[in-house]
Amino acid sequence: MARYTRVKGSIALITLTNPPVNALSAAVRRGIVESVSRALKDEQVKAVVFCGENEKFCGGADIKEFSGSVSGPPLVPMIHSMEAGEKPMVAAIEGVALGGGLELALGCHYRVANTKARLGLPEVTLGLLPAAGGTQRLPRLIGIPAALELITTGRHVSAQEALQLGMVDQVTEGNAVQAAMELALSVIGHPLNPCRLSLRAPVWAPDVDGVCDAALAQVKQRSRGVMAPVACVQAVRAAAMLPYGKGMERERQLMDTLFRSGQAQAMQYAFFAQRNAGKWILPNRAQWNNTKAREVQRAGVIGLGTMGQGIAVSLVKAGISVVAIETDTKQLEWGKKAVTAMLQRDAQRRGVSPPLHLLTFTLSFHQLRDVDLVIEAVFEDMNLKKRVFSDLCKVLRVNALICTNTSGLNVDELAAVTDRQPLVVGMHFFAPAHVMKLLEVVYGSRSSPEAVATAMALGKRIGKVCVTVGNCSGFVGNRMLKLYLDQSVYLLEEGATPEQVDQALEEFGFAMGIFKVGDLSGLDVGWRVRKASGLIGPDVDPVKPSRWRLGRRYCPLPDMLCQQGRFGQKTGRGWYLYDSPGSKEAKSDPEIQNFLEDYRRKYGIIPRRITSQEVIERCAFILANEGFRILEDGIAAGPEHIDVIYLFGYGWPRHRGGPMFYASQVGLSVVLEKLEHYHRVHPDVPSLEPSRLLRRLVAEGSPPIQQWKSHIKNLRSHL
Ligand SMILES: CCCCCCCCCCCCC/C=C/C(=O)SCCNC(=O)CCNC(=O)[C@H](O)C(C)(C)COP(=O)(O)OP(=O)(O)OC[C@H]1O[C@@H](n2cnc3c(N)ncnc32)[C@H](O)[C@@H]1OP(=O)(O)O
């Protein structure tokens, strides 16, 4: 679908028409090929301008087509025939020119962008490379170092930066199509060869080999085990070393390998999963596109600990006025200082002034009387939260929403103490709240669709990836995390070291192993939760604490560490050793090795060699197994919602799709077999028992992940 119109007598205007982002589907490519041929044949036409419908140039190749057989005219010869055409071609870039969209623009002889446009080659984020000539043309336009940076990161640049880099010829505040037409008219008759990027040599740079080697080392370190960034460097190196035709061959070979890879499938799955997650639906059929969110202009944040600080910063950065409350002057001053500093740092980085005028710090709940919504972020204690909730009802407007940032407490129980149960929802942020992208919006059994819609819209406004989840202990993310944490410490009991477990997880793709993450977050946090949940109490033997609690296997190792004051980075000692409290570089601690050996001796455990494969199987499959239970319980709307939670909240590597996608990729029958094996070996760990849904899916022939939901019997959605 491309519309052909003749304008100003001598210009052919070719408009890509495939909303919402004018992706280059087979039909669009066919339309372009036909339109270009028509324009080149029409003697009245002296120049051609390309643009996109609805002020969006083009979001790139149609990613949906990648999972089927790609048909229709291929992009590479299409772009080549545009570039080779004997009439000037100008790209009028409005909105976005991404991936194949930018490659199409690079095949034009000139490019004009609107000031608000964004340009980029984000294929690497989909496990691919810009294989429509992008790796060969961009270095010839902006040079090897800049092209390497853009192609290996997939970063979008503003029109202004694109102009500075030389990616576009002109930037206009007005209509880019008009400006492109004027430019087109002005260049009629000018020689075209200098504008054909394939004919140019790459912009010269000293020591190109060294630059490529450095880029390779950087991407290998930054994205361990991910194929696409490495292939991107190899393709750009080919642009530097080989003639254009040979470089294109190399680009094609590298793309063939990536295109078929499981990593590309995982990353493309993640792309669509992220977008699907925003499409929430409640048991009463209220959903994202039939429920109006309330506008939020003023919000309250209760509690200025680490979470409250991050939440306040996120809200203020999105232009929302915030009344921030603490219980005493010292805490208030402390919180104020932290929030102000974060906003100042952020504003300095962006060259703007910090929006401090949007903040009110106070000890008085009365200042909350005209807020639209409150987010409670006090200490994780049910009684304390209940007190806050009932106090809030005394001062808030009757229609103000109350949201809780609890990480796992019962939202219904909290709502029950209020005078407005339909207006209570969970907004579970992840630490640090101004950085982490995930927001679990927890639907309580009485929450109204409007309250869910408002929390989801607010989350989106402050830049979060929001997922609605049902109300159960730990919701989705932390309910699964608990079992993953259990497996990691069981592995220590059985013979592994924190270093071995972390190394296996890091090789799998996690940026940090679970024990390093524990040290970073503070081991005392979980200790407090275990105390509050009754797992630790006065009847626990301090010398030889029981390994059996509340009817199942229990590992007291983390508690024993905390008893020694080893809380992680903040105390300079945790699972690892740090140079000083607060320092970040984790070093192996011989004391921990001795501690683990003593522990095993004390309990008569004979250590065994644990392979990386076992670490991954036990950690990843336990997550997926609980994910299946969550689906059966109706706590998550689909496997892709669970995966989005793990991708954005728990550092699951994107090239592995998410725990549910990973299980589907490994093969459900393999996952079942492994879980059965581990459960046989560890019958005291009930969570290792394969879930009913997993068994059913395997019995029904392991259908693709998109069909899992239809195999759930008697689904009672809790969201
Ligand atoms: C067997 C071997 C063969 C090997 C060779 C095969 C060769 C085949 C390929 C040839 C070479 C191809 C080279 C080019 C590759 C590419 O171009 S890959 C795509 C690159 N582009 C992107 O990554 C951009 C992706 N999109 C975005 O980042 C954003 O969507 C946006 C454009 C910035 C818009 O954002 P926003 O306004 O926030 O809207 P969204 O919600 O994100 O999206 C709206 C809907 O549009 C859908 N969508 C977006 N982009 C695409 C796309 N490129 N293709 C298909 N669909 C897309 C998105 O899913 C949303 O859909 P709905 O959820 O249904 O509304």
Side-chain angles (χ1 to χ4, degrees):
M1 297 158 287
R3 200 170 49 242
Y4 182 96
T5 28
R6 180 111 74 75
V7 282
K8 296 189 190 274
S10 59
I11 292 180
L13 179 65
I14 300 176
T15 309
L16 315 190
T17 56
N18 184 17
V21 301
N22 300 320
L24 295 163
S25 62
V28 173
R29 299 197 303 276
R30 206 168 291 120
I32 295 174
V33 168
E34 285 165 9
S35 301
V36 168
S37 156
R38 185 170 162 191
L40 291 174
K41 279 190 204 133
D42 186 340
E43 285 181 3
Q44 306 291 314
V45 169
K46 304 292 179 215
V48 183
V49 169
F50 290 86
C51 66
E53 184 125 284
N54 297 332
E55 297 174 4
K56 274 200 187 107
F57 183 69
C58 176
D62 188 338
I63 306 165
K64 286 196 271 315
E65 286 185 352
F66 292 169
S67 52
S69 57
V70 183
S71 62
L75 270 178
V76 169
M78 180 190 97
I79 294 174
H80 183 74
S81 66
M82 289 164 51
E83 190 193 56
E86 285 305 334
K87 296 176 183 177
M89 314 251 167
V90 186
I93 301 172
E94 297 189 304
V96 286
L98 298 174
L102 179 56
E103 294 177 287
L104 181 113
L106 294 173
C108 291
H109 305 113
Y110 300 91
R111 286 154 293 280
V112 175
N114 175 269
T115 36
K116 297 210 178 96
R118 285 184 293 143
L119 296 81
L121 293 173
E123 285 87 340
V124 69
T125 63
L126 299 167
L128 302 173
L129 54 73
T135 65
Q136 304 303 301
R137 286 197 178 88
L138 192 65
R140 287 172 159 80
L141 184 63
I142 65 171
I144 301 287
L148 271 173
E149 194 268 322
L150 288 191
I151 292 173
T152 57
T153 60
R155 182 169 75 85
H156 299 184
V157 297
S158 66
Q160 202 50 45
E161 186 178 350
L163 184 67
Q164 278 157 9
L165 287 169
M167 281 163 79
V168 296
D169 302 282
Q170 213 183 89
V171 170
T172 174
E173 283 195 5
N175 183 309
V177 182
Q178 281 304 326
M181 288 198 287
E182 278 157 34
L183 178 80
L185 289 174
S186 73
V187 295
I188 291 169
H190 289 203
L192 289 172
N193 270 356
C195 309
R196 293 187 171 117
L197 297 177
S198 66
L199 300 184
R200 286 193 197 168
V203 178
W204 185 86
D207 188 21
V208 166
D209 238 358
V211 170
C212 291
D213 286 345
L216 198 59
Q218 193 184 30
V219 298
K220 281 186 174 165
Q221 200 217 355
R222 196 173 53 206
S223 341
R224 196 193 309 212
V226 192
M227 292 155 59
V230 172
C232 286
V233 176
Q234 289 167 331
V236 175
R237 194 195 287 269
M241 304 293 174
L242 302 174
Y244 175 78
K246 293 272 181 222
M248 285 299 286
E249 265 175 42
R250 185 84 180 111
E251 181 188 271
R252 168 79 194 192
Q253 287 161 358
L254 290 162
M255 178 65 158
D256 278 1
T257 309
L258 293 179
F259 198 78
R260 292 171 221 269
S261 69
Q263 293 194 0
Q265 283 165 19
M267 291 165 101
Q268 287 157 32
Y269 163 84
F271 174 86
F272 289 114
Q274 181 181 346
R275 277 143 188 94
N276 278 342
K279 295 176 183 155
W280 54 273
I281 176 161
L282 301 182
N284 59 9
R285 312 306 294 170
Q287 59 187 46
W288 60 282
N289 56 0
N290 66 13
T291 312
K292 205 166 172 321
R294 290 230 210 121
E295 213 176 305
V296 176
Q297 281 168 348
R298 282 173 65 78
V301 175
I302 317 292
L304 280 177
T306 315
M307 291 308 292
Q309 290 167 16
I311 295 169
V313 168
S314 305
L315 292 168
V316 167
K317 274 174 63 182
I320 297 163
S321 297
V322 169
V323 179
I325 306 253
E326 253 303 345
T327 43
D328 68 50
T329 317
K330 201 169 146 210
Q331 292 293 337
L332 188 71
E333 277 311 307
W334 176 258
K336 181 176 177 177
K337 219 166 113 189
V339 170
T340 310
M342 281 191 258
L343 286 170
Q344 276 167 338
R345 269 199 305 274
D346 176 71
Q348 198 176 18
R349 215 175 22 246
R350 294 189 294 137
V352 293
S353 46
L356 300 178
H357 61 283
L358 293 175
L359 275 162
T360 306
F361 294 94
T362 176
L363 297 174
S364 160
F365 264 44
H366 289 285
Q367 297 259 14
L368 295 168
R369 61 190 169 269
D370 56 359
V371 300
D372 305 305
L373 166 151
V374 162
I375 302 175
E376 162 279 307
V378 303
F379 188 65
E380 195 72 351
D381 173 320
M382 181 57 99
N383 290 330
L384 172 64
K385 284 186 192 279
K386 280 183 176 171
R387 266 202 312 280
V388 169
F389 269 48
S390 50
D391 287 351
L392 281 170
C393 292
K394 294 176 197 147
V395 292
L396 290 179
R397 283 198 328 237
V398 286
N399 58 353
L401 262 69
I402 307 183
C403 309
T404 171
N405 176 48
T406 175
S407 57
L409 296 177
N410 187 336
V411 173
D412 287 338
E413 199 178 327
L414 285 169
V417 304
T418 71
D419 55 1
R420 60 191 78 199
Q421 299 198 42
L423 297 183
V424 176
V425 283
M427 283 184 88
H428 177 208
F429 289 82
F430 289 71
H434 59 300
V435 176
M436 293 294 287
K437 294 288 277 181
L438 181 67
L439 178 69
E440 282 184 326
V441 171
V442 188
Y443 169 72
S445 59
R446 299 275 177 88
S447 305
S448 67
E450 193 189 20
V452 173
T454 305
M456 290 292 283
L458 179 63
K460 192 168 176 199
R461 184 170 162 199
I462 63 178
K464 303 295 174 201
V465 175
C466 311
V467 185
T468 46
V469 296
N471 181 29
C472 69
S473 176
F475 315 131
V476 170
N478 284 346
R479 172 169 159 178
M480 288 165 65
L481 178 72
K482 188 184 164 305
L483 305 182
Y484 166 33
L485 287 169
D486 285 348
Q487 286 303 317
S488 66
V489 285
Y490 296 160
L491 287 164
L492 297 191
E493 289 184 319
E494 292 162 34
T497 61
E499 290 83 347
Q500 277 169 356
V501 175
D502 280 356
Q503 192 186 342
L505 292 168
E506 286 165 18
E507 274 164 10
F508 182 74
F510 281 95
M512 251 190 195
I514 190 143
F515 291 106
K516 285 190 193 145
V517 171
D519 277 1
L520 172 71
S521 338
L523 301 178
D524 52 324
V525 180
W527 196 32
R528 273 202 305 263
V529 173
R530 292 191 293 279
K531 279 181 186 164
S533 63
L535 281 162
I536 310 171
D539 46 344
V540 174
D541 179 349
V543 182
K544 196 175 174 196
S546 165
R547 292 179 61 225
W548 182 261
R549 292 187 209 178
L550 303 183
R552 62 196 60 185
R553 177 173 168 184
Y554 181 82
C555 172
L557 280 169
D559 304 334
M560 294 162 89
L561 231 60
C562 288
Q563 276 156 8
Q564 296 171 27
R566 299 187 72 121
F567 292 164
Q569 286 185 8
K570 61 177 131 179
T571 54
R573 293 177 335 143
W575 294 111
Y576 292 90
L577 192 61
Y578 301 86
D579 282 342
S580 58
S583 87
K584 296 198 182 316
E585 202 197 328
K587 294 182 178 159
S588 292
D589 186 351
E591 256 186 47
I592 287 287
Q593 317 304 328
N594 296 337
F595 164 69
L596 289 175
E597 280 163 23
D598 283 351
Y599 175 88
R600 292 181 198 122
R601 255 195 308 276
K602 191 189 292 180
Y603 289 93
I605 303 169
I606 299 164
R608 60 186 177 85
R609 196 179 146 265
I610 290 174
T611 61
S612 293
Q613 187 186 345
E614 179 173 350
V615 172
I616 298 306
E617 286 173 356
R618 284 181 57 184
C619 292
F621 295 168
I622 198 83
L623 284 172
N625 200 31
E626 191 62 13
F628 285 117
R629 290 199 187 95
I630 282 172
L631 289 176
E632 277 197 299
D633 293 350
I635 295 295
E640 67 275 40
H641 290 218
I642 298 176
D643 284 337
V644 167
I645 288 172
Y646 263 75
L647 286 169
F648 289 94
Y650 296 86
W652 182 276
R654 201 172 170 86
H655 66 285
R656 307 271 189 190
M660 307 314 284
F661 183 84
Y662 181 65
S664 76
Q665 211 169 37
V666 169
L668 296 186
S669 51
V670 175
V671 177
L672 175 61
E673 199 186 297
K674 295 285 181 182
L675 283 167
E676 278 172 339
H677 162 76
Y678 289 123
H679 188 231
R680 253 193 319 274
V681 180
H682 306 286
D684 51 354
V685 184
S687 52
L688 279 170
E689 185 177 2
S691 67
R692 275 184 317 209
L693 179 56
L694 172 60
R695 285 191 190 285
R696 190 173 317 126
L697 289 170
V698 172
E700 289 169 17
S702 299
I705 193 165
Q706 293 77 8
Q707 290 173 20
W708 289 0
K709 257 176 73 181
S710 61
H711 290 256
I712 302 173
K713 297 264 174 343
N714 310 320
L715 173 65
R716 199 179 155 261
S717 171
H718 289 274
L719 50 69

